[in-house]
Amino acid sequence: MDCDHLVPPDRTLISDGTFQFHCHAGVRCFRSCCCNVELLLFPYDIILLKNQLGIHSSDFLRAHTRLCAGSHPFFPGLQLNMREDRSCPFLDEAGCSVYANRPSACRTYPLERAVERLGSGQPLRIHYFLTHHPYCLGHFEDRSYSVRQWERDQMLDACNQYNNLWAEMDALFASNPWAGEGAAGPYQQLAFMVCYNIDEFRSYAEKQRLLSRYRLAKEDRRRIEKDDGALLCFGFDWLETILGGRRKLTRSK
């Protein structure tokens, strides 16, 4: 498949080849990539960060994010708030203070990951691009990776799984399933809560007894009750059921 139309400026498409890169404190540009960046946060990124900080997702959203344009006009994105000097709020002298739970874009760098949806019911097609930022000297370090090696090294598998689910959800939002309710209408607010405010959604689900409304295996129910990632997956299925009519969930009798 010809993917040239997908390649952004200053990027190189990587397919089965390897790339050279190594970032460490001894590289003169260390921490430079953590400044002057517009960092988009995906739903699972917010879960990782708010759990790392030990705060409610509502507090994380208020303190560390701002709305931005999404991939289409019908649902917003979220960006990480930077400090006044344009550095990441989680950057310190030693490097990243939230490294174990850093966002997926930070894990993926110097690669960028693109998800292409070919059509309804079709599998997602994943593309990786190598960035070329002139300040980054990590490209000249003597270490090579394949894409799969980099995914393992940066522990990207879980992030990528959730981001693939988010890509499917965002594709549903792009169809404007809440047409007619106006900006920030009730369904949009529900979707925003599910996607970005997982602790608020947990409270909503408990208050509305949402899990009891649908047929769920006992193990799945226990996982959803305890794990934010499992709750996010349930929330995505719930939104697809009430917005897209895709019947991801079956009503209890």
Side-chain angles (χ1 to χ4, degrees):
M1 177 181 176
D2 183 5
C3 298
D4 289 344
H5 68 290
L6 297 172
V7 183
D10 302 320
R11 307 289 190 272
T12 300
L13 180 66
I14 294 181
S15 52
D16 297 327
T18 61
F19 64 97
Q20 185 172 312
F21 184 79
H22 184 42
C23 180
H24 56 92
V27 181
R28 291 200 312 274
C29 63
F30 185 62
R31 305 193 314 157
S32 296
C33 59
C34 305
C35 303
N36 297 311
V37 61
E38 301 291 335
L39 184 61
L40 187 67
L41 296 176
F42 297 139
Y44 191 61
D45 294 333
I46 295 170
I47 289 176
L48 291 177
L49 287 170
K50 68 94 178 177
N51 285 341
Q52 169 76 28
L53 299 174
I55 61 177
H56 194 282
S57 53
S58 294
D59 296 327
F60 178 83
L61 294 178
R62 282 192 293 268
H64 294 293
T65 70
R66 66 182 185 277
L67 293 176
C68 66
S71 61
H72 51 79
F74 305 114
F75 198 73
L78 283 183
Q79 284 185 343
L80 183 67
N81 286 333
M82 296 292 164
R83 296 185 180 121
E84 290 186 5
D85 65 357
R86 299 293 300 146
S87 65
C88 175
F90 307 122
L91 183 66
D92 59 25
E93 290 301 319
C96 178
S97 65
V98 295
Y99 189 80
N101 289 294
R102 65 200 184 280
S104 52
C106 303
R107 294 170 187 266
T108 307
Y109 188 85
L111 303 181
E112 290 183 356
R113 185 175 186 265
V115 177
E116 184 182 15
R117 193 169 187 270
L118 301 179
S120 179
Q122 297 296 313
L124 297 173
R125 189 183 295 272
I126 309 300
H127 306 282
Y128 277 98
F129 308 99
L130 179 64
T131 63
H132 302 285
H133 294 133
Y135 59 76
C136 182
L137 303 178
H139 296 285
F140 303 101
E141 295 289 296
D142 188 21
R143 187 173 296 187
S144 295
Y145 293 90
S146 68
V147 168
R148 184 61 192 136
Q149 287 171 332
W150 187 250
E151 288 176 327
R152 291 197 199 100
D153 187 81
Q154 301 300 307
M155 294 181 288
L156 271 163
D157 285 345
C159 290
N160 289 344
Q161 289 173 9
Y162 285 106
N163 291 346
N164 287 349
L165 295 175
W166 164 241
E168 294 280 6
M169 182 58 50
D170 196 44
L172 170 62
F173 295 164
S175 69
N176 194 16
W178 31 65
E181 75 169 23
Y187 279 113
Q188 285 182 331
Q189 291 186 44
L190 278 177
F192 188 93
M193 176 181 62
V194 171
C195 297
Y196 294 136
N197 197 340
I198 196 69
D199 290 324
E200 189 68 23
F201 178 49
R202 184 174 296 283
S203 297
Y204 174 89
E206 291 173 355
K207 183 177 180 180
Q208 300 295 324
R209 300 179 58 84
L210 205 57
L211 299 185
S212 65
R213 297 184 187 182
Y214 299 97
R215 294 180 184 174
L216 297 168
K218 289 182 179 180
E219 289 185 3
D220 292 338
R221 188 185 303 274
R222 284 196 292 266
R223 192 178 303 113
I224 292 168
E225 289 171 345
K226 296 179 179 179
D227 181 73
D228 287 340
L231 178 62
L232 181 65
C233 292
F234 169 80
F236 285 166
D237 286 344
W238 180 61
L239 288 175
E240 289 202 65
T241 300
I242 65 173
L243 293 176
R246 300 181 184 180
R247 297 184 181 180
K248 287 294 188 78
L249 298 172
T250 302
R251 281 274 188 177
S252 298
K253 291 183 179 180

